[in-house]
Amino acid sequence: MRAYDLIQKKRDGAALSAGEIAWLVDGFVGGLVPDYQMAAFLMAVYFRGMTPEETAALTWAMVRSGETLDLGPLARDAVDKHSSGGVGDKTSLVLVPLVASAGVPVPKLSGRGLGHTGGTLDKLEAIPGFSTALSEAAFVEQIGRIGCAIAGQSAALVPADARLYALRDVTATVDSVPLIASSIMSKKLAVGSSAILLDVKCGRGAFMKTEADARILAEAMVAIGRAAGRRTAAVISAMDHPLGRAVGNALEVAEAIATLRGEGPQDLEGLCLALGGWMLMLGGRSASPEEGSEELLRRLRSGDALRKFEALIRAQGGDPRVVEDPERLPSAPCRLPVPAPASGVVAGIDAEAIGLAAMQLGAGRARKGEAVDPAVGVVIKRSAGVVVKAREHLATIHARSEEAGLAAARQVAAAFAIAESAPAEVPVIRGVIRW
Ligand code: URA
């Protein structure tokens, strides 16, 4: 086989066989297929797309490029969860302990934030002492013992994805549905749980800007999960405004704790209960997602979910006292209000702009490998649909310095749209794709 022929075949719109795709991926990882040929192939996929069979073959070729996790007997009941990422998206911090508190094991491998979106590992590391670097044995042992674990992905898992993503990143081929779907699903299949719930975001703060595009991606991922024999569902949820009120690592941990206490913002609690309801159903613990959500609401009210989060923090070396006393989380020295420029109704809060403001404060990173500041960020005080008076505080900036805070305050003020009348309410959940 020659890479040249496979590039040409895809360029001309023909479908590749599973064997051809596996040969290309193996060759790329093994150094036989150079970056320039793989880049050309990725661009051909970008323009020509892939059939569901090709996408599944690409996913499996990527899974086989590295090690897979052996969850042992836990695999049968475990439910994995993935979010396509957004601003203020702390759902994993809430969902992992919440779902585990209802008896469904949750193995969660997470990533770090990049650009305007945050990452679960950065958020958890805001908790003093919390370690996200668990060996495979420690990860599996912890799930067996307390029902959940959240850790960074080892480089041995799906190495083809890291290499392909780095190439896509510099060749304008990231936003291709088969490439995104295979990238995400290869990591989920390598973990080995028998069920997967996907939260596919759409809107200004998300990868997929429109609901139609999010649906196409969700369908592609559910098809891969189904073909792999995993119970898979995808919830399409809105990411036009930040989720909840807090954007920034420690600030989001505090909001997750409040949510696990049953005192969180409505949009965040509602989304977590809906996603968690699906996870309980996929894990065979409830007959329907609605029944699952009701069970989880009871776990929030009883304090079980909060205690599970405390157990998770303790198990991973963090200071569990943050649960009772969130003041122990890192806090920024400067707090600045963002006043409303005029009276009216908050018609919109641009999630991407808020995410970029938080990133520039230091809560996120522009480039891979940069350190983040756990304490800084933005807290929204007036959500979409709320009536405000001129000079009333729309948000609070948590900054390292007055200068950084003032710059962020200007960005955050510009992210708020103030109108004369309230916008029509749109539901957070836009649809569900099921296996
Ligand atoms: N997240 C991933 O893991 N891969 C992509 O390609 C895009 C988002």
Side-chain angles (χ1 to χ4, degrees):
M1 240 180 268
R2 291 195 315 159
Y4 181 96
D5 299 325
L6 303 185
I7 296 165
Q8 187 180 46
K9 194 168 170 184
K10 182 47 61 188
R11 184 201 68 187
D12 295 344
L16 269 61
S17 70
E20 287 170 331
I21 291 171
W23 183 89
L24 203 56
V25 172
D26 291 350
F28 175 59
V29 174
L32 269 177
V33 174
D35 279 7
Y36 52 82
Q37 283 190 306
M38 200 59 188
F41 177 74
L42 293 171
M43 190 56 87
V45 171
Y46 181 90
F47 282 113
R48 290 296 193 172
M50 278 185 148
T51 64
E53 292 74 25
E54 284 179 291
T55 311
L58 176 60
T59 308
W60 278 113
M62 287 162 75
V63 173
R64 283 193 302 265
S65 72
E67 293 172 9
T68 52
L69 206 64
D70 183 4
L71 290 174
L74 288 169
R76 194 177 50 100
D77 298 326
V79 182
D80 200 351
K81 175 253 168 194
H82 175 83
S83 159
S84 62
V87 178
D89 182 5
K90 68 281 292 175
T91 49
S92 287
L93 304 191
V94 178
L95 269 176
V96 172
L98 175 60
V99 170
S101 76
V104 172
V106 190
K108 182 77 184 95
L109 292 182
S110 290
R112 299 196 177 275
L114 190 62
H116 69 279
T117 60
T120 299
L121 300 185
D122 297 319
K123 293 172 201 192
L124 283 169
E125 285 170 0
I127 300 170
F130 196 101
S131 169
T132 58
L134 298 184
S135 68
E136 178 178 331
F139 183 75
V140 176
E141 184 279 328
Q142 184 180 311
I143 300 164
R145 184 161 43 87
I146 67 164
C148 56
I150 307 181
Q153 187 187 307
S154 119
L157 228 64
V158 204
D161 177 57
R163 294 220 29 218
L164 281 170
Y165 196 91
L167 203 52
R168 288 165 58 204
D169 208 18
V170 292
T171 55
T173 52
V174 167
D175 51 346
S176 146
V177 166
L179 298 180
I180 298 174
S182 55
S183 163
I184 292 174
M185 290 305 287
S186 61
K187 289 172 282 197
K188 297 289 112 186
L189 298 185
V191 171
S193 63
S194 60
I196 302 162
L197 179 76
L198 304 158
D199 176 14
V200 182
K201 307 277 188 200
C202 62
R204 271 183 304 198
F207 229 122
M208 294 295 169
K209 301 295 177 202
T210 67
E211 193 179 321
D213 284 347
R215 186 170 285 275
I216 292 169
L217 177 62
E219 282 169 354
M221 291 196 289
V222 170
I224 295 170
R226 189 191 300 128
R230 313 283 168 97
R231 298 186 300 281
T232 311
V235 171
I236 297 170
S237 70
M239 181 38 76
D240 290 308
H241 314 309
L243 184 61
R245 304 284 177 92
V247 181
N249 302 300
L251 296 167
E252 293 191 42
V253 172
E255 189 168 80
I257 291 170
T259 305
L260 285 162
R261 215 179 258 299
E263 295 164 3
Q266 245 182 13
D267 61 341
L268 177 62
E269 182 184 286
L271 180 61
C272 288
L273 290 173
L275 295 172
W278 277 97
M279 289 174 77
L280 256 57
M281 188 182 138
L282 289 168
R285 289 276 160 163
S286 67
S288 68
E290 293 76 21
E291 194 187 298
S293 303
E294 282 162 23
E295 168 68 17
L296 293 177
L297 189 55
R298 284 193 288 277
R299 301 283 170 174
L300 284 184
R301 297 212 171 118
S302 67
D304 288 353
L306 192 64
R307 279 195 293 278
K308 190 59 81 179
F309 191 44
E310 202 173 359
L312 175 73
I313 295 173
R314 187 176 292 109
Q316 295 192 217
D319 182 352
R321 293 174 298 177
V322 298
V323 165
E324 291 309 322
D325 184 8
E327 299 274 304
R328 289 179 180 274
L329 290 164
S331 66
C334 301
R335 291 186 191 187
L336 286 89
V338 179
S343 299
V345 181
V346 177
I349 307 172
D350 183 337
E352 187 169 10
I354 299 283
L356 286 173
M359 184 193 85
Q360 277 153 23
L361 280 166
R365 55 177 70 77
R367 277 189 216 93
K368 264 189 178 170
E370 286 175 352
V372 298
D373 185 335
V376 299
V378 179
V379 177
I380 309 284
K381 298 285 177 194
R382 297 288 179 266
S383 306
V386 171
V387 176
V388 292
K389 291 206 176 74
R391 315 295 309 157
E392 200 176 313
H393 293 172
L394 297 174
T396 307
I397 307 293
H398 294 240
R400 228 357 100 190
S401 69
E402 184 99 9
E403 194 190 348
L406 285 169
R410 281 191 292 275
Q411 285 173 283
V412 169
F416 277 77
I418 310 285
E420 282 179 5
S421 58
E425 264 203 45
V426 282
V428 174
I429 295 184
R430 299 291 170 78
V432 178
I433 314 285
R434 47 188 302 184
W435 65 101

